[in-house]
Amino acid sequence: QVQLLESGGGSVQAGGSLRLSCAVFGYRDCMAWFRQAPGKERERVASIHPGFGWVDYVDSVKGRFTISRDAAKSTLILEMNALKPEDTALYYCAASKSSGNCLREDTYLLWGQGTQVTVSS
């Protein structure tokens, strides 16, 4: 079931950049970006707690990706720089319905259908 809407995916060469956006109306304690590559399990890429300004990233994207929320536009943003072929995956936007541990996938009950990111070498 599609509950959120992602946009901004596409194809880019290694070293390039992309900016993903997700429409998330209303306040959510936790918001995050997940990704799933072919043949691999879904993993959490980055999470944010808008109220606290807290963010967390998976080690593989630290220093390259930035998660943020644009309250005025009700959007969750993922800025991706220095992209690598291993970043190729279907990226999902997710949000909680209530308070919880922003590091746990089980906390996220609202999901988008995904937007494809393909990085070529």
Side-chain angles (χ1 to χ4, degrees), residues 13 21 45 63 79 86 105 113 117 121:
Q13 291 185 312
S21 298
V45 177
E79 295 177 285
E86 49 264 45
E105 184 170 335
Q113 64 179 313
V117 171
S121 59

Side-chain angles (χ1 to χ4, degrees), residues 13-41:
Q13 291 185 312
S17 301
L18 285 174
R19 182 177 184 273
L20 306 184
S21 298
C22 175
V24 183
F25 295 100
Y27 176 80
R28 303 293 177 181
D29 284 345
C30 305
M31 295 188 287
W33 288 96
F34 290 79
R35 68 185 180 187
Q36 186 168 29
K40 297 183 178 180
E41 295 184 349

Side-chain angles (χ1 to χ4, degrees), residues 24-96:
V24 183
F25 295 100
Y27 176 80
R28 303 293 177 181
D29 284 345
C30 305
M31 295 188 287
W33 288 96
F34 290 79
R35 68 185 180 187
Q36 186 168 29
K40 297 183 178 180
E41 295 184 349
R42 185 168 61 194
E43 68 171 348
R44 183 179 59 83
V45 177
S47 295
I48 183 171
H49 188 301
F52 294 161
W54 170 91
V55 297
D56 182 74
Y57 302 92
V58 67
D59 288 344
S60 62
V61 309
K62 288 182 178 178
R64 299 190 298 119
F65 291 11
T66 301
I67 186 172
S68 63
R69 177 176 180 267
D70 185 336
K73 297 183 178 181
S74 298
T75 57
L76 178 68
I77 307 297
L78 183 66
E79 295 177 285
M80 304 183 292
N81 299 305
L83 284 162
K84 304 175 181 179
E86 49 264 45
D87 292 319
T88 295
L90 188 64
Y91 283 70
Y92 297 91
C93 172
S96 67

